[in-house]
Amino acid sequence: MSTPHLFALTPGEPAGIGPDLCLLLAREAQPHPLVAVASRDLLAQRAALLGLDIDLQDVAPGHWPSAAAPAGTLYVWDTPLAAPVEPGKLNQANATYVLETLTRAGQGCLDGHFAGMITAPVHKGVINEAGIAFSGHTEFLADLTHTAQVVMMLATRGLRVALVTTHLPLRQIADAITANRLERVTRILHADLRDKFGLANPRILVCGLNPHAGEGGHLGHEEIDVIEPTLERLRTEGMQLIGPLPADTLFTPKHLEHCDAVLAMYHDQGLPVLKYKGFGAAVNVTLGLPIIRTSVDHGTALDLAGTGRIDSGSLQVALETAYQMAEAGTGAR
């Protein structure tokens, strides 16, 4: 393995399972030093509630760890809460705390202190109820890093799926798939597979929008008018882009065997397959940022906070993916 990299871990919503996940992961040694950007008091209280004996060691800018923590130890960059936390009970007062952890971690990546950041789930609703406009990690980090265009990609072992459109109503999707948008997303996906995943010439399978990829125009013209011409133009630059293919047959072993990523046209075209294959062991990767950012593929699970009845599989995969990305290339471009 190469020289250890330092990573930031944000626990997300303090009343959710994020703090629990951080503590559970600390039971095992990690290959790289990992810093939880969180309230030390919160982690100590949650550890006591869960009956976990975790040694919380304070670190801060200028005093970063140079080696991975041993099993049972978690490095913490203490970030004070605004109000006490009760597991499962949202409190608007702590919205500023959540955003401060993200800002510290993101800025730390930009400043070169961290090789990447791994995020546990936040609760968008309570942040908005606190009077703060917030639509999610992705948009927040894009703004923090002054990034105009980002791409959502979910991955599990053996499959990566990126999205041309994300959280749009179905009736708006066809209009949103323009040649300009498709080209931007494809370029970002290709560049990050190369630069952050170490794939010299990634092979990308592209879904059509319509059933049977439009069936020669009988089931829609988006493939003929937008998707095919855009892909053909990008192929002249040497990109390996296969498609547009019918989505109902693309996700089969025959096609996926030699595939590095799938580009789906919309959220529920590609993600149901990925989550069926890797539910509980999938990771959300934000492509296009000048930093490495990975995240779990689930929510805050308020009802499970402090119970110990949780699975840390998704966060472990998010960690492993961030490690692989840092080792394959660099988070700063």
Side-chain angles (χ1 to χ4, degrees), residues 138-169:
T138 302
E139 294 80 6
F140 182 86
L141 293 173
D143 185 60
L144 181 69
T145 60
H146 307 291
T147 304
Q149 176 79 44
V150 294
V151 173
M152 177 189 290
M153 182 177 81
L154 269 75
T156 190
R157 292 177 180 92
L159 180 63
R160 303 183 185 98
V161 177
L163 304 175
V164 177
T165 64
T166 53
H167 302 123
L168 286 178

Side-chain angles (χ1 to χ4, degrees), residues 94-115:
N94 280 321
T96 54
Y97 157 81
V98 172
L99 298 186
E100 178 62 15
T101 65
L102 297 178
T103 300
R104 284 186 171 190
Q107 191 61 50
C109 290
L110 289 173
D111 293 341
H113 301 307
F114 302 124

Side-chain angles (χ1 to χ4, degrees), residues 11 13-27 42-43 46-47 49-50 52 87 304-310 312 315:
E13 168 53 48
I17 64 171
D20 310 46
L21 291 170
C22 296
L23 292 162
L24 289 174
L25 285 171
R27 295 180 302 176
L42 169 65
L43 292 173
R46 196 63 61 87
L49 181 62
L50 294 169
L52 296 175
L304 296 178
T307 67
R309 301 193 308 271
I310 60 172
S312 59
L315 187 55

Side-chain angles (χ1 to χ4, degrees), residues 61-87:
H63 301 280
W64 299 123
S66 58
T73 298
L74 181 63
Y75 297 126
V76 182
W77 182 6
D78 188 27
T79 307
L81 290 163
V85 171
E86 182 179 348

Side-chain angles (χ1 to χ4, degrees), residues 17-330:
I17 64 171
D20 310 46
L21 291 170
C22 296
L23 292 162
L24 289 174
L25 285 171
R27 295 180 302 176
E28 305 292 335
Q30 294 291 330
H32 295 278
L34 188 65
V35 174
V37 185
S39 163
R40 191 183 193 283
D41 289 342
L42 169 65
L43 292 173
Q45 292 163 6
R46 196 63 61 87
L49 181 62
L50 294 169
L52 296 175
D53 183 15
I54 303 296
D55 179 18
L56 303 175
Q57 293 193 4
D58 291 316
V59 297
H63 301 280
W64 299 123
S66 58
T73 298
L74 181 63
Y75 297 126
V76 182
W77 182 6
D78 188 27
T79 307
L81 290 163
V85 171
E86 182 179 348
K89 300 292 180 64
L90 295 171
N91 188 336
Q92 297 176 16
N94 280 321
T96 54
Y97 157 81
V98 172
L99 298 186
E100 178 62 15
T101 65
L102 297 178
T103 300
R104 284 186 171 190
Q107 191 61 50
C109 290
L110 289 173
D111 293 341
H113 301 307
F114 302 124
M117 61 185 290
I118 301 95
T119 60
V122 296
H123 194 288
K124 300 174 190 176
V126 74
I127 296 174
N128 284 291
E129 288 166 10
I132 302 170
F134 180 84
S135 53
H137 277 114
T138 302
E139 294 80 6
F140 182 86
L141 293 173
D143 185 60
L144 181 69
T145 60
H146 307 291
T147 304
Q149 176 79 44
V150 294
V151 173
M152 177 189 290
M153 182 177 81
L154 269 75
T156 190
R157 292 177 180 92
L159 180 63
R160 303 183 185 98
V161 177
L163 304 175
V164 177
T165 64
T166 53
H167 302 123
L168 286 178
L170 278 175
R171 65 173 62 250
Q172 296 179 18
I173 289 171
D175 290 339
I177 299 174
T178 63
N180 185 47
R181 183 177 195 147
L182 178 58
E183 179 174 338
R184 289 199 318 268
V185 169
T186 305
R187 287 189 183 280
I188 290 170
L189 173 60
H190 183 271
D192 274 13
L193 287 174
R194 182 190 63 214
D195 298 339
K196 294 180 179 176
F197 287 87
L199 300 169
N201 190 16
R203 190 170 190 269
I204 301 169
L205 304 188
V206 183
C207 296
L209 172 66
N210 298 294
H212 301 177
E215 203 161 283
H218 295 288
L219 294 175
H221 283 264
E222 286 80 9
E223 287 78 10
I224 295 172
D225 296 341
V226 177
I227 301 175
E228 290 177 1
T230 302
L231 298 184
E232 187 56 37
R233 186 166 61 254
L234 293 174
R235 287 189 194 105
T236 65
E237 300 178 13
M239 293 188 195
Q240 284 197 86
L241 305 172
I242 296 85
L245 299 173
D248 64 338
T249 54
L250 182 156
F251 290 99
T252 56
K254 169 189 172 183
H255 289 293
L256 295 178
E257 185 177 3
H258 302 293
C259 160
D260 293 307
V262 172
L263 182 58
M265 292 296 119
Y266 58 96
H267 187 280
D268 281 15
Q269 182 181 58
L271 298 195
V273 180
L274 183 133
K275 293 196 174 186
Y276 175 77
K277 176 177 174 60
F279 189 74
V283 56
N284 187 337
V285 184
T286 305
L287 304 179
L289 294 173
I291 64 175
I292 290 172
R293 180 261 169 162
T294 65
S295 182
V296 296
D297 72 338
H298 57 73
T300 55
L302 295 168
D303 58 322
L304 296 178
T307 67
R309 301 193 308 271
I310 60 172
D311 185 344
S312 59
S314 181
L315 187 55
Q316 183 61 51
V317 175
L319 284 168
E320 292 170 2
T321 303
Y323 299 159
Q324 292 162 6
M325 291 171 72
E327 290 168 6
T330 174

